mmCIF file of all heavy atoms in Angstrom:
data_model
loop_
_atom_site.group_PDB
_atom_site.id
_atom_site.type_symbol
_atom_site.label_atom_id
_atom_site.label_comp_id
_atom_site.label_asym_id
_atom_site.label_seq_id
_atom_site.Cartn_x
_atom_site.Cartn_y
_atom_site.Cartn_z
ATOM 1 N N LEU R 104 162.616 185.762 -27.770
ATOM 2 C CA LEU R 104 162.197 185.624 -29.178
ATOM 3 C C LEU R 104 161.431 186.855 -29.652
ATOM 4 O O LEU R 104 160.984 186.912 -30.789
ATOM 5 C CB LEU R 104 161.339 184.369 -29.334
ATOM 6 C CG LEU R 104 162.142 183.076 -29.125
ATOM 7 C CD1 LEU R 104 161.254 181.959 -28.627
ATOM 8 C CD2 LEU R 104 162.871 182.687 -30.399
ATOM 9 N N GLY R 105 161.236 187.824 -28.746
ATOM 10 C CA GLY R 105 160.687 189.098 -29.174
ATOM 11 C C GLY R 105 159.244 189.381 -28.798
ATOM 12 O O GLY R 105 158.722 190.438 -29.148
ATOM 13 N N LYS R 106 158.582 188.463 -28.105
ATOM 14 C CA LYS R 106 157.206 188.772 -27.693
ATOM 15 C C LYS R 106 157.255 189.251 -26.239
ATOM 16 O O LYS R 106 157.874 188.590 -25.398
ATOM 17 C CB LYS R 106 156.315 187.528 -27.833
ATOM 18 C CG LYS R 106 154.854 187.806 -27.487
ATOM 19 C CD LYS R 106 153.920 186.729 -28.009
ATOM 20 C CE LYS R 106 152.476 187.056 -27.641
ATOM 21 N NZ LYS R 106 151.515 186.088 -28.150
ATOM 22 N N SER R 107 156.606 190.364 -25.969
ATOM 23 C CA SER R 107 156.687 190.897 -24.608
ATOM 24 C C SER R 107 155.816 190.084 -23.660
ATOM 25 O O SER R 107 154.832 189.468 -24.065
ATOM 26 C CB SER R 107 156.247 192.361 -24.581
ATOM 27 O OG SER R 107 154.846 192.426 -24.716
ATOM 28 N N ARG R 108 156.194 190.114 -22.381
ATOM 29 C CA ARG R 108 155.444 189.360 -21.383
ATOM 30 C C ARG R 108 154.006 189.888 -21.286
ATOM 31 O O ARG R 108 153.053 189.138 -21.124
ATOM 32 C CB ARG R 108 156.146 189.494 -20.025
ATOM 33 C CG ARG R 108 155.622 188.534 -19.007
ATOM 34 C CD ARG R 108 156.454 188.562 -17.766
ATOM 35 N NE ARG R 108 157.813 188.094 -17.998
ATOM 36 C CZ ARG R 108 158.506 187.378 -17.115
ATOM 37 N NH1 ARG R 108 157.957 187.050 -15.973
ATOM 38 N NH2 ARG R 108 159.737 186.994 -17.361
ATOM 39 N N GLU R 109 153.884 191.196 -21.420
ATOM 40 C CA GLU R 109 152.554 191.803 -21.352
ATOM 41 C C GLU R 109 151.651 191.232 -22.451
ATOM 42 O O GLU R 109 150.503 190.864 -22.202
ATOM 43 C CB GLU R 109 152.687 193.311 -21.514
ATOM 44 C CG GLU R 109 151.420 194.061 -21.204
ATOM 45 C CD GLU R 109 151.702 195.540 -20.977
ATOM 46 O OE1 GLU R 109 152.724 196.042 -21.507
ATOM 47 O OE2 GLU R 109 150.905 196.180 -20.293
ATOM 48 N N ASP R 110 152.200 191.115 -23.657
ATOM 49 C CA ASP R 110 151.408 190.552 -24.769
ATOM 50 C C ASP R 110 151.042 189.094 -24.497
ATOM 51 O O ASP R 110 149.941 188.648 -24.808
ATOM 52 C CB ASP R 110 152.179 190.635 -26.092
ATOM 53 C CG ASP R 110 152.195 192.054 -26.642
ATOM 54 O OD1 ASP R 110 151.430 192.890 -26.115
ATOM 55 O OD2 ASP R 110 152.980 192.328 -27.573
ATOM 56 N N MET R 111 152.003 188.363 -23.908
ATOM 57 C CA MET R 111 151.721 186.936 -23.630
ATOM 58 C C MET R 111 150.594 186.814 -22.603
ATOM 59 O O MET R 111 149.662 186.025 -22.784
ATOM 60 C CB MET R 111 152.985 186.219 -23.137
ATOM 61 C CG MET R 111 154.023 186.043 -24.230
ATOM 62 S SD MET R 111 155.402 185.003 -23.707
ATOM 63 C CE MET R 111 156.628 186.207 -23.260
ATOM 64 N N ILE R 112 150.674 187.607 -21.542
ATOM 65 C CA ILE R 112 149.645 187.521 -20.499
ATOM 66 C C ILE R 112 148.294 187.976 -21.064
ATOM 67 O O ILE R 112 147.252 187.365 -20.801
ATOM 68 C CB ILE R 112 150.038 188.373 -19.263
ATOM 69 C CG1 ILE R 112 151.328 187.841 -18.636
ATOM 70 C CG2 ILE R 112 148.902 188.416 -18.248
ATOM 71 C CD1 ILE R 112 151.217 186.557 -17.841
ATOM 72 N N ASN R 113 148.327 189.026 -21.874
ATOM 73 C CA ASN R 113 147.063 189.488 -22.470
ATOM 74 C C ASN R 113 146.446 188.408 -23.356
ATOM 75 O O ASN R 113 145.231 188.204 -23.348
ATOM 76 C CB ASN R 113 147.279 190.772 -23.293
ATOM 77 C CG ASN R 113 147.502 191.959 -22.377
ATOM 78 O OD1 ASN R 113 147.162 191.902 -21.192
ATOM 79 N ND2 ASN R 113 148.091 193.024 -22.908
ATOM 80 N N ASP R 114 147.298 187.693 -24.108
ATOM 81 C CA ASP R 114 146.778 186.630 -24.980
ATOM 82 C C ASP R 114 146.223 185.450 -24.170
ATOM 83 O O ASP R 114 145.296 184.777 -24.599
ATOM 84 C CB ASP R 114 147.866 186.132 -25.946
ATOM 85 C CG ASP R 114 148.127 187.131 -27.072
ATOM 86 O OD1 ASP R 114 147.338 188.092 -27.188
ATOM 87 O OD2 ASP R 114 149.102 186.959 -27.825
ATOM 88 N N LEU R 115 146.809 185.236 -22.996
ATOM 89 C CA LEU R 115 146.272 184.178 -22.120
ATOM 90 C C LEU R 115 144.884 184.588 -21.626
ATOM 91 O O LEU R 115 143.913 183.827 -21.744
ATOM 92 C CB LEU R 115 147.216 183.952 -20.930
ATOM 93 C CG LEU R 115 146.659 183.104 -19.780
ATOM 94 C CD1 LEU R 115 146.432 181.663 -20.232
ATOM 95 C CD2 LEU R 115 147.598 183.120 -18.570
ATOM 96 N N ILE R 116 144.805 185.801 -21.096
ATOM 97 C CA ILE R 116 143.551 186.243 -20.476
ATOM 98 C C ILE R 116 142.422 186.370 -21.506
ATOM 99 O O ILE R 116 141.263 186.068 -21.222
ATOM 100 C CB ILE R 116 143.773 187.584 -19.725
ATOM 101 C CG1 ILE R 116 144.658 187.320 -18.502
ATOM 102 C CG2 ILE R 116 142.462 188.206 -19.294
ATOM 103 C CD1 ILE R 116 145.095 188.566 -17.794
ATOM 104 N N SER R 117 142.783 186.765 -22.728
ATOM 105 C CA SER R 117 141.733 186.929 -23.747
ATOM 106 C C SER R 117 141.319 185.585 -24.347
ATOM 107 O O SER R 117 140.380 185.514 -25.130
ATOM 108 C CB SER R 117 142.232 187.846 -24.867
ATOM 109 O OG SER R 117 143.209 187.152 -25.627
ATOM 110 N N GLY R 118 142.055 184.521 -24.025
ATOM 111 C CA GLY R 118 141.713 183.195 -24.564
ATOM 112 C C GLY R 118 142.374 182.920 -25.903
ATOM 113 O O GLY R 118 142.133 181.885 -26.518
ATOM 114 N N LYS R 119 143.231 183.847 -26.376
ATOM 115 C CA LYS R 119 143.884 183.646 -27.676
ATOM 116 C C LYS R 119 144.949 182.548 -27.591
ATOM 117 O O LYS R 119 145.136 181.773 -28.516
ATOM 118 C CB LYS R 119 144.529 184.976 -28.104
ATOM 119 C CG LYS R 119 145.050 184.990 -29.511
ATOM 120 C CD LYS R 119 145.519 186.374 -29.914
ATOM 121 C CE LYS R 119 146.348 186.281 -31.188
ATOM 122 N NZ LYS R 119 147.254 187.402 -31.337
ATOM 123 N N SER R 120 145.634 182.520 -26.462
ATOM 124 C CA SER R 120 146.713 181.533 -26.258
ATOM 125 C C SER R 120 146.203 180.341 -25.476
ATOM 126 O O SER R 120 145.417 180.509 -24.556
ATOM 127 C CB SER R 120 147.793 182.189 -25.406
ATOM 128 O OG SER R 120 148.975 182.275 -26.066
ATOM 129 N N LYS R 121 146.704 179.171 -25.810
ATOM 130 C CA LYS R 121 146.258 177.963 -25.091
ATOM 131 C C LYS R 121 147.136 177.686 -23.874
ATOM 132 O O LYS R 121 148.213 178.268 -23.730
ATOM 133 C CB LYS R 121 146.332 176.762 -26.036
ATOM 134 C CG LYS R 121 145.363 176.826 -27.193
ATOM 135 C CD LYS R 121 145.352 175.493 -27.935
ATOM 136 C CE LYS R 121 144.251 175.438 -28.963
ATOM 137 N NZ LYS R 121 144.465 176.363 -30.089
ATOM 138 N N TYR R 122 146.689 176.779 -23.049
ATOM 139 C CA TYR R 122 147.504 176.202 -21.977
ATOM 140 C C TYR R 122 147.045 174.756 -21.816
ATOM 141 O O TYR R 122 146.026 174.359 -22.396
ATOM 142 C CB TYR R 122 147.379 176.991 -20.662
ATOM 143 C CG TYR R 122 145.959 177.152 -20.187
ATOM 144 C CD1 TYR R 122 145.371 176.190 -19.362
ATOM 145 C CD2 TYR R 122 145.192 178.237 -20.575
ATOM 146 C CE1 TYR R 122 144.069 176.318 -18.937
ATOM 147 C CE2 TYR R 122 143.874 178.372 -20.159
ATOM 148 C CZ TYR R 122 143.319 177.410 -19.336
ATOM 149 O OH TYR R 122 142.019 177.520 -18.937
ATOM 150 N N SER R 123 147.761 173.973 -21.021
ATOM 151 C CA SER R 123 147.518 172.534 -21.016
ATOM 152 C C SER R 123 146.081 172.170 -20.635
ATOM 153 O O SER R 123 145.519 172.705 -19.670
ATOM 154 C CB SER R 123 148.496 171.849 -20.054
ATOM 155 O OG SER R 123 148.340 170.460 -20.164
ATOM 156 N N ASN R 124 145.530 171.242 -21.400
ATOM 157 C CA ASN R 124 144.144 170.762 -21.191
ATOM 158 C C ASN R 124 143.869 170.360 -19.749
ATOM 159 O O ASN R 124 142.795 170.614 -19.214
ATOM 160 C CB ASN R 124 143.884 169.540 -22.096
ATOM 161 C CG ASN R 124 144.690 168.318 -21.668
ATOM 162 O OD1 ASN R 124 145.915 168.333 -21.671
ATOM 163 N ND2 ASN R 124 144.011 167.265 -21.272
ATOM 164 N N VAL R 125 144.882 169.731 -19.093
ATOM 165 C CA VAL R 125 144.628 169.113 -17.777
ATOM 166 C C VAL R 125 144.178 170.113 -16.721
ATOM 167 O O VAL R 125 143.458 169.742 -15.795
ATOM 168 C CB VAL R 125 145.880 168.352 -17.246
ATOM 169 C CG1 VAL R 125 146.022 167.005 -17.885
ATOM 170 C CG2 VAL R 125 147.142 169.169 -17.414
ATOM 171 N N PHE R 126 144.584 171.369 -16.882
ATOM 172 C CA PHE R 126 144.296 172.323 -15.810
ATOM 173 C C PHE R 126 142.902 172.929 -15.935
ATOM 174 O O PHE R 126 142.539 173.843 -15.197
ATOM 175 C CB PHE R 126 145.410 173.375 -15.733
ATOM 176 C CG PHE R 126 146.755 172.723 -15.538
ATOM 177 C CD1 PHE R 126 147.795 172.910 -16.436
ATOM 178 C CD2 PHE R 126 146.955 171.852 -14.473
ATOM 179 C CE1 PHE R 126 149.009 172.260 -16.272
ATOM 180 C CE2 PHE R 126 148.167 171.198 -14.295
ATOM 181 C CZ PHE R 126 149.198 171.399 -15.199
ATOM 182 N N ASN R 127 142.129 172.405 -16.868
ATOM 183 C CA ASN R 127 140.729 172.838 -16.993
ATOM 184 C C ASN R 127 139.770 171.882 -16.295
ATOM 185 O O ASN R 127 138.565 171.942 -16.517
ATOM 186 C CB ASN R 127 140.356 172.961 -18.468
ATOM 187 C CG ASN R 127 141.047 174.149 -19.085
ATOM 188 O OD1 ASN R 127 141.003 175.238 -18.521
ATOM 189 N ND2 ASN R 127 141.712 173.956 -20.203
ATOM 190 N N TYR R 128 140.335 170.986 -15.481
ATOM 191 C CA TYR R 128 139.498 170.059 -14.709
ATOM 192 C C TYR R 128 139.633 170.403 -13.227
ATOM 193 O O TYR R 128 140.696 170.875 -12.793
ATOM 194 C CB TYR R 128 139.938 168.606 -14.964
ATOM 195 C CG TYR R 128 139.653 168.166 -16.392
ATOM 196 C CD1 TYR R 128 140.550 168.446 -17.419
ATOM 197 C CD2 TYR R 128 138.463 167.520 -16.714
ATOM 198 C CE1 TYR R 128 140.283 168.073 -18.739
ATOM 199 C CE2 TYR R 128 138.194 167.138 -18.028
ATOM 200 C CZ TYR R 128 139.103 167.418 -19.025
ATOM 201 O OH TYR R 128 138.835 167.056 -20.328
ATOM 202 N N PRO R 129 138.582 170.164 -12.449
ATOM 203 C CA PRO R 129 138.656 170.542 -11.021
ATOM 204 C C PRO R 129 139.427 169.540 -10.177
ATOM 205 O O PRO R 129 139.456 168.352 -10.502
ATOM 206 C CB PRO R 129 137.170 170.544 -10.606
ATOM 207 C CG PRO R 129 136.514 169.564 -11.526
ATOM 208 C CD PRO R 129 137.272 169.603 -12.828
ATOM 209 N N ALA R 130 140.044 170.034 -9.111
ATOM 210 C CA ALA R 130 140.673 169.145 -8.115
ATOM 211 C C ALA R 130 139.633 168.973 -7.005
ATOM 212 O O ALA R 130 139.565 169.773 -6.081
ATOM 213 C CB ALA R 130 141.962 169.758 -7.590
ATOM 214 N N GLU R 131 138.836 167.918 -7.126
ATOM 215 C CA GLU R 131 137.673 167.781 -6.239
ATOM 216 C C GLU R 131 138.025 167.351 -4.820
ATOM 217 O O GLU R 131 137.354 167.730 -3.870
ATOM 218 C CB GLU R 131 136.683 166.767 -6.840
ATOM 219 C CG GLU R 131 135.971 167.316 -8.061
ATOM 220 C CD GLU R 131 135.019 166.301 -8.692
ATOM 221 O OE1 GLU R 131 134.729 165.257 -8.068
ATOM 222 O OE2 GLU R 131 134.580 166.565 -9.820
ATOM 223 N N THR R 132 139.032 166.492 -4.695
ATOM 224 C CA THR R 132 139.394 166.006 -3.351
ATOM 225 C C THR R 132 140.905 166.125 -3.169
ATOM 226 O O THR R 132 141.640 166.364 -4.128
ATOM 227 C CB THR R 132 139.011 164.515 -3.144
ATOM 228 O OG1 THR R 132 139.874 163.703 -3.966
ATOM 229 C CG2 THR R 132 137.557 164.244 -3.496
ATOM 230 N N TRP R 133 141.349 165.872 -1.938
ATOM 231 C CA TRP R 133 142.790 165.900 -1.668
ATOM 232 C C TRP R 133 143.528 164.898 -2.563
ATOM 233 O O TRP R 133 144.647 165.140 -3.017
ATOM 234 C CB TRP R 133 143.050 165.603 -0.183
ATOM 235 C CG TRP R 133 144.493 165.392 0.119
ATOM 236 C CD1 TRP R 133 145.104 164.225 0.434
ATOM 237 C CD2 TRP R 133 145.536 166.387 0.075
ATOM 238 N NE1 TRP R 133 146.463 164.409 0.598
ATOM 239 C CE2 TRP R 133 146.759 165.739 0.380
ATOM 240 C CE3 TRP R 133 145.561 167.761 -0.205
ATOM 241 C CZ2 TRP R 133 147.978 166.413 0.422
ATOM 242 C CZ3 TRP R 133 146.787 168.425 -0.162
ATOM 243 C CH2 TRP R 133 147.965 167.761 0.143
ATOM 244 N N ALA R 134 142.876 163.770 -2.853
ATOM 245 C CA ALA R 134 143.527 162.749 -3.681
ATOM 246 C C ALA R 134 143.815 163.275 -5.089
ATOM 247 O O ALA R 134 144.759 162.812 -5.746
ATOM 248 C CB ALA R 134 142.664 161.485 -3.750
ATOM 249 N N ASP R 135 143.036 164.231 -5.549
ATOM 250 C CA ASP R 135 143.320 164.802 -6.878
ATOM 251 C C ASP R 135 144.696 165.461 -6.892
ATOM 252 O O ASP R 135 145.433 165.357 -7.878
ATOM 253 C CB ASP R 135 142.269 165.856 -7.274
ATOM 254 C CG ASP R 135 140.903 165.251 -7.535
ATOM 255 O OD1 ASP R 135 140.486 164.379 -6.757
ATOM 256 O OD2 ASP R 135 140.253 165.647 -8.523
ATOM 257 N N THR R 136 145.038 166.123 -5.785
ATOM 258 C CA THR R 136 146.358 166.793 -5.769
ATOM 259 C C THR R 136 147.473 165.741 -5.835
ATOM 260 O O THR R 136 148.517 165.983 -6.436
ATOM 261 C CB THR R 136 146.567 167.665 -4.499
ATOM 262 O OG1 THR R 136 146.625 166.809 -3.352
ATOM 263 C CG2 THR R 136 145.460 168.680 -4.316
ATOM 264 N N ALA R 137 147.218 164.580 -5.207
ATOM 265 C CA ALA R 137 148.225 163.510 -5.228
ATOM 266 C C ALA R 137 148.391 162.974 -6.652
ATOM 267 O O ALA R 137 149.514 162.782 -7.136
ATOM 268 C CB ALA R 137 147.815 162.393 -4.272
#
Side-chain angles (χ1 to χ4, degrees):
L104 292 153
K106 183 163 180 178
S107 74
R108 192 172 295 216
E109 191 163 25
D110 285 348
M111 290 188 262
I112 298 285
N113 287 341
D114 285 350
L115 167 66
I116 291 172
S117 71
K119 189 173 166 203
S120 242
K121 294 189 171 68
Y122 55 89
S123 186
N124 68 298
V125 280
F126 304 122
N127 289 311
Y128 293 85
E131 288 178 12
T132 70
W133 170 251
D135 291 43
T136 66

